[in-house]
């Protein structure tokens, strides 16, 4: 199958699977059809899908990742090379601006919400939506199994607490795994408790890496988007926590990447590393 054929097949199957969107009218352009498929994937609740459809989805997403351009940790300069930072862990740290779903690392970090099922808003611009869309619907199914076990243990109203770390497979991504963490939500003032919650996100993700033999990991900017954590303070907490963790467990990592998407975040991290 070509990518065009896979897209047509998947669009038909996901429309049929949706029930109420069987007659959805979609534009003829590739971009229109691709957005429609992503939307159908985004709104789909966890549930069984035919294995044949899943295999075509996996092939489609893997080829899409290849077309976007896969980036390895060794393609990215270290902060020592980029900013002249000379700390003992400088050779293990990188700052990279780009699409986190392109990174071929042991794990990328997803800023999840407390439902842990991804974003259901069609084509939303949050990192949770981008990662689930690039990974495919197998990811939502695994997250749903995890939440089912937690609800059996803690009750049907269970939501994932802030600051924990949950490991899943990477599925359609170049990354082998994902680590999901629920960041703190800033609704008014930035408090010391919210700062500690964000620190716990970074610390527990790194602890999860150590426990699972993950030596290359890429962090997104946890909580700075929809959760409104100020980017300067978030970056300071991220760098400080990672450096502290590496003082203890530095031998367990080959590369830790701070992934940013917006220019403003790159500037903030760049100033931090230039000043260290």
């Amino acid at each position: 199958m070509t990518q065009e054929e896979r897209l047509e097949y998947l669009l038909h199957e996901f429309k049929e699977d949706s029930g109420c969107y069987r007659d959805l009218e979609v534009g003829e352009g590739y971009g229109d059809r691709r957005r429609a498929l992503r939307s159908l994937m985004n709104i789909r609740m966890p549930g069984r899908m035919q294995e044949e459809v899943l295999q075509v989805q996996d092939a489609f997403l893997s080829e899409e990742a290849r077309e976007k351009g896969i980036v390895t940790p060794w393609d990215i300069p270290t902060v020592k090379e980029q900013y002249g930072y000379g700390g003992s862990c400088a050779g293990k740290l990188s700052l990279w601006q780009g699409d986190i779903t392109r990174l071929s690392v042991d794990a990328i970090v997803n800023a999840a919400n407390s439902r842990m099922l991804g974003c259901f808003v069609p084509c939303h611009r949050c990192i949770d939506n981008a990662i689930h869309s690039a990974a495919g619907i197998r990811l939502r199914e695994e997250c749903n199994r995890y939440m089912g076990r937690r609800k059996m243990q803690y009750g049907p109203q269970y939501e994932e607490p802030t600051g924990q770390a949950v490991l899943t497979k990477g599925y359609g991504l170049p990354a082998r795994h994902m680590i999901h963490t629920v960041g703190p939500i800033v609704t008014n003032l930035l408090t010391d408790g919210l700062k500690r919650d964000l620190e716990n996100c970074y610390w527990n993700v790194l602890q999860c890496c150590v426990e699972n033999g993950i030596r290359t990991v890429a962090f997104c900017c946890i909580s700075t988007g929809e959760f409104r954590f100020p980017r300067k303070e978030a970056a300071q907490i991220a760098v400080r926590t990672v450096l502290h963790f590496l003082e203890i467990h530095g031998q367990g990592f080959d590369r830790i990447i701070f992934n940013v998407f917006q220019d403003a975040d790159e500037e903030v991290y760049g100033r931090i590393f230039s000043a260290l």
Side-chain angles (χ1 to χ4, degrees):
M1 273 186 171
T2 65
Q3 280 295 84
E4 281 274 359
E5 291 168 337
R6 291 181 183 119
L7 178 57
E8 281 304 303
Y9 172 82
L10 291 170
L11 194 51
H12 174 267
E13 293 297 328
F14 274 83
K15 285 167 67 176
E16 287 294 313
D17 174 75
S18 72
C20 59
Y21 291 105
R22 284 195 178 102
D23 299 323
L24 178 68
E25 294 186 7
V26 181
E28 295 183 1
Y30 187 92
D32 291 334
R33 289 178 288 140
R34 181 63 184 92
R35 282 188 293 274
L37 175 60
R38 176 172 174 173
S39 297
L40 290 167
M41 293 169 65
N42 291 160
I43 65 175
R44 186 180 189 273
M45 295 298 293
R48 183 181 179 276
M49 177 69 90
Q50 293 181 359
E51 183 61 28
E52 178 184 351
V53 178
L54 292 173
Q55 289 177 3
V56 175
Q57 174 210 242
D58 295 345
F60 177 78
L61 294 174
S62 295
E63 176 60 20
E64 198 166 64
R66 188 193 67 79
E67 291 174 353
K68 285 192 295 185
I70 295 172
V71 179
T72 76
W74 326 121
D75 298 324
I76 304 170
T78 65
V79 294
K80 180 178 181 179
E81 297 165 332
Q82 193 170 7
Y83 297 102
Y85 170 56
S88 60
C89 298
K92 296 179 182 288
L93 299 175
S94 291
L95 173 64
W96 183 71
Q97 183 178 18
D99 179 355
I100 198 170
T101 67
R102 295 175 57 199
L103 290 173
S104 178
V105 288
D106 291 339
I108 62 171
V109 177
N110 178 33
N113 60 55
S114 60
R115 291 181 65 192
M116 278 291 293
L117 297 179
C119 172
F120 285 85
V121 179
C123 297
H124 195 251
R125 297 183 65 183
C126 70
I127 188 70
D128 200 12
N129 189 295
I131 287 175
H132 273 262
S133 297
I137 64 170
R138 293 186 197 264
L139 173 58
R140 180 166 284 168
E141 193 66 24
E142 181 177 354
C143 290
N144 188 55
R145 291 194 298 270
Y146 167 79
M147 288 299 285
R149 293 192 297 271
R150 303 296 276 181
K151 288 178 179 180
M152 286 286 291
Q153 186 174 4
Y154 296 110
Q157 303 305 314
Y158 175 83
E159 293 187 357
E160 186 69 13
T162 301
Q164 302 301 304
V166 180
L167 182 72
T168 67
K169 295 179 181 178
Y171 298 103
L173 295 171
R176 293 195 300 116
H177 297 96
M178 276 167 273
I179 303 176
H180 308 261
T181 187
V182 179
I185 300 174
V186 180
T187 56
N188 193 0
L189 295 176
L190 181 61
T191 65
D192 289 342
L194 292 169
K195 294 177 183 179
R196 286 193 297 272
D197 286 341
L198 186 61
E199 181 179 318
N200 287 336
C201 288
Y202 284 92
W203 190 273
N204 288 328
V205 165
L206 293 171
Q207 187 63 46
C208 180
C209 290
V210 170
E211 292 170 357
N212 291 278
I214 291 170
R215 300 190 63 85
T216 56
V217 60
F219 281 100
C220 65
C221 297
I222 302 167
S223 281
T224 59
E226 296 295 311
F227 287 5
R228 299 179 296 276
F229 206 106
R231 58 169 49 95
K232 179 180 178 182
E233 288 83 353
Q236 291 170 338
I237 290 169
V239 173
R240 182 176 68 245
T241 305
V242 168
L243 289 176
H244 183 196
F245 195 92
L246 286 177
E247 289 176 1
I248 306 168
H249 299 287
Q251 72 283 359
F253 294 89
D254 296 322
R255 189 69 63 89
I256 297 174
I257 300 168
F258 296 97
N259 168 248
V260 298
F261 194 72
Q262 298 185 24
D263 291 343
D265 289 308
E266 184 186 36
E267 292 172 7
V268 167
Y269 275 92
R271 286 197 295 269
I272 291 172
F273 283 116
S274 296
L276 286 177

